Amino acid sequence: MSPDSPWFRRIVRGFALYDLAVTLPFATPWTAQVMLSVMGQVHQGVSLGGEAMPPFTPMHLFFVALFGVLAVIWALVRITQPTVLHGAIDTVGRALVATWMVLAVTQGASQVLILFLVMELAGMVAQGAVLSRVWRREAAPAPAR
């Protein structure tokens, strides 16, 4: 599979579209507050383990919106330029974010994070598998003529 293959570009772009859909509501303090409220309702409605969503102060909402904006921008970069480099950076980023999610849940955060964790791991595995193939092919010696 070449780095320019439509399949590779579709995977990177597909997870970027997912990220855009999930993070766009967190990109403003107003919509972030609504999303955090929804997450709290899911936590209570399904009786998930871990700590319920706490009230967010304006400072909390600033950081949520800041990171929401950065995630939206990063998603737009990958949608418009689904390159090997962007896919690799995103795969590493997903591994780190998944690690922090696991840490948060094991320290008592709401298990609503597990919904996000599943998609982080899916993106990490899918992109990682494709990138591994790309790099193995590029590293393989050229066939003799």
Side-chain angles (χ1 to χ4, degrees):
M1 176 178 305
S2 91
D4 295 325
S5 81
W7 177 243
F8 172 78
R9 294 171 66 83
R10 258 186 296 216
I11 289 174
V12 173
R13 189 174 282 131
F15 280 102
L17 287 166
Y18 161 78
D19 288 345
L20 180 63
V22 169
T23 59
L24 188 58
F26 290 99
T28 75
W30 307 280
T31 55
Q33 197 162 25
V34 170
M35 287 305 297
L36 293 167
S37 174
V38 167
M39 289 170 65
Q41 290 171 3
V42 169
H43 173 88
Q44 289 179 331
V46 185
S47 299
L48 294 173
E51 191 178 309
M53 297 297 291
F56 275 60
T57 67
M59 191 65 152
H60 294 119
L61 289 173
F62 164 74
F63 279 103
V64 169
L66 171 69
F67 292 117
V69 167
L70 294 175
V72 165
I73 291 169
W74 176 238
L76 292 172
V77 167
R78 290 176 294 128
I79 289 167
T80 59
Q81 298 176 355
T83 66
V84 171
L85 177 62
H86 295 156
I89 292 169
D90 190 62
T91 301
V92 171
R94 286 181 186 282
L96 291 170
V97 169
T99 301
W100 305 150
M101 285 180 180
V102 168
L103 180 65
V105 170
T106 60
Q107 291 182 343
S110 172
Q111 291 177 349
V112 76
L113 287 179
I114 293 171
L115 301 171
F116 296 98
L117 174 62
V118 168
M119 288 305 292
E120 287 301 314
L121 293 173
M124 180 188 77
V125 169
Q127 290 180 156
V130 172
L131 286 166
S132 176
R133 275 193 192 152
V134 167
W135 287 332
R136 275 198 306 261
R137 288 218 176 135
E138 286 181 358
R145 291 187 194 205

